[in-house]
Amino acid sequence: MGGPIVIDGKGLGDVIDEELKTWVGGVVGGGGRAPGLSVVLVGNDPASEVYVRNKVRRTKAVGMESKEYRLPDTTTQEELLGLLDDLNGDPGVDGILVQLPLPEGMDSEVVINAIDPAKDVDGFHLLNVGMLGTGTGVPLLPCTPNGCMVMLKRTLASLGRKLEGSRAVVVGRSNIVGKPMFNLLLREGATVTVAHSKTKDIESLCREADILVAAVGRPEMVRGDWVKEGAVVIDVGINRIEAEGGKTRLVGDVHYEEAYAKAAAVTPVPGGVGPMTIGMLLVNTVRSYAGREGVECRLSFL
Ligand code: NDP
């Protein structure tokens, strides 16, 4: 008997990149323009620098156009909105991403909602959020929760189980992970509960979950005895903790070894949800391009 499935987000991310590379190569080889992603970074937050670098690297690796706009933290909101206006009107730009958080003094809601919703590859614009929440139209989906769904569907299929009718618990209710995760699970027919910092007896609630998604930002908060036997556990958390020898290491919101002993499948940290997030960003850019150019784009992993 083998152990549980370790859901390989890194491997799946590589598969996604390969398929996108082939698709983009076909389009460009046929004389078309390459899909274009513009990434805007204001200020010099070190974590944001790393995220932007990784996004740009993977965008270029699949053959897409990647433009970076690095603005000093003295940039005014008006100047930023002016840049977004230009990018909205640029026919060579399919996706626009403003790296969050923005420096103090900027209203991220105003900035995000200034992006053309059809180019909002983060899926944070109110129109995309509203379409997902109401099940209207075809929204661009937020990348991290969408990446979780791709992993979840593949894992459940390999276990011979269905999302429809399953009992799901999402721990965390942020706008970028918890709430859209709720909506994505709900629209697939799961019965979903969202837990948060005010939830009472969260352990018992989690123990009911066939699918447990943790997006909290607290290292190893979800312990083995919170996990139902045979559950599928998706760990969104990325936390840096101190390790031996003055070093640091990354851990999730789930105690991995304890969850591994109970679950049917579990995502590792790192190498689980993280690599899928950028994969879904590239997918959104390609989808936006396909809509704009009127070309078909079928991707096997979606
Ligand atoms: P937020 O800080 O925005 O939200 C955290 C949520 O967790 C809140 O809803 C909060 O509840 C809830 N929470 C906090 N403490 C507890 C507790 N003790 N018990 C129950 N619920 C609690 O975080 P994000 O959603 O942005 O991110 C969550 C984690 O996911 C982080 O570790 C982040 O680094 C990671 N992340 C990973 C990504 C990836 O690509 N893999 C992408 C995005 C995030 P309340 O609302 O009541 O305060």
Side-chain angles (χ1 to χ4, degrees):
M1 283 288 285
I5 297 171
V6 176
I7 306 170
D8 181 9
K10 167 79 177 70
L12 187 51
D14 290 345
V15 169
I16 291 170
D17 285 8
E18 269 313 305
E19 197 171 327
L20 290 174
K21 192 174 172 184
T22 304
W23 190 85
V24 172
V27 166
V28 174
R33 70 174 177 90
L37 173 66
S38 290
V39 181
V40 183
L41 175 62
V42 190
N44 41 20
D45 177 61
S48 295
E49 294 268 359
V50 175
Y51 293 140
V52 165
R53 212 168 31 237
N54 287 337
K55 286 169 187 173
V56 168
R57 182 180 50 79
R58 271 180 72 182
T59 307
K60 287 183 177 162
V62 299
M64 304 204 301
E65 283 284 335
S66 170
K67 282 197 189 144
E68 276 175 85
Y69 295 85
R70 289 171 176 271
L71 309 179
D73 55 10
T74 49
T75 307
T76 65
Q77 183 161 307
E78 286 315 307
E79 286 167 337
L80 177 56
L81 293 177
L83 171 62
L84 294 179
D85 212 29
D86 291 346
L87 296 175
N88 284 341
D90 185 337
V93 174
D94 303 291
I96 303 170
L97 182 151
V98 177
Q99 185 66 44
L100 299 177
L102 287 168
E104 248 173 70
M106 283 203 190
D107 186 336
S108 49
E109 219 167 289
V110 170
V111 171
I112 296 304
N113 289 310
I115 298 171
D116 176 350
K119 297 187 177 186
D120 165 41
V121 283
D122 257 339
F124 293 160
H125 189 287
L126 282 179
L127 193 74
N128 285 314
V129 174
M131 284 199 280
L132 172 61
T134 55
T136 317
V138 188
L140 284 168
L141 299 173
C143 301
T144 299
N146 197 26
C148 293
M149 289 302 286
V150 171
M151 289 195 292
L152 202 46
K153 284 184 191 170
R154 288 173 75 99
T155 305
L156 289 173
S158 67
L159 290 168
R161 292 196 210 160
K162 280 186 170 169
L163 203 43
E164 192 176 297
S166 66
R167 185 83 175 76
V169 172
V170 178
V171 189
R173 56 173 166 175
S174 72
N175 287 336
I176 62 164
V177 190
K179 282 182 205 155
M181 196 68 222
F182 163 79
N183 275 314
L184 287 166
L185 287 163
L186 188 67
R187 81 173 188 176
E188 297 291 333
T191 302
V192 197
T193 306
V194 180
H196 46 79
S197 68
K198 308 287 185 287
T199 301
K200 296 206 171 83
D201 195 8
I202 197 163
E203 296 91 327
S204 303
L205 189 67
C206 290
R207 269 194 293 274
E208 292 172 17
D210 304 313
I211 292 156
L212 181 57
V213 181
V216 192
R218 297 198 179 266
E220 301 179 325
M221 184 185 88
V222 176
R223 306 303 302 240
D225 60 353
W226 297 30
V227 177
K228 181 178 174 178
E229 200 75 49
V232 176
V233 180
I234 306 284
D235 188 354
V236 182
I238 303 176
N239 310 289
R240 193 166 283 283
I241 61 164
E242 283 184 21
E244 277 169 37
K247 292 190 177 151
T248 61
R249 67 183 179 102
L250 289 184
V251 296
D253 291 340
V254 177
H255 191 294
Y256 180 77
E257 287 77 16
E258 290 181 9
Y260 183 90
K262 296 283 284 294
V266 59
T267 58
V269 177
V273 175
M276 293 297 290
T277 297
I278 301 182
M280 294 301 106
L281 174 70
L282 304 182
V283 166
N284 277 349
T285 308
V286 160
R287 279 187 49 206
S288 165
Y289 172 94
R292 190 159 296 103
E293 295 289 324
V295 292
E296 207 178 346
C297 179
R298 279 173 203 245
L299 298 168
S300 69
F301 50 82
L302 289 183

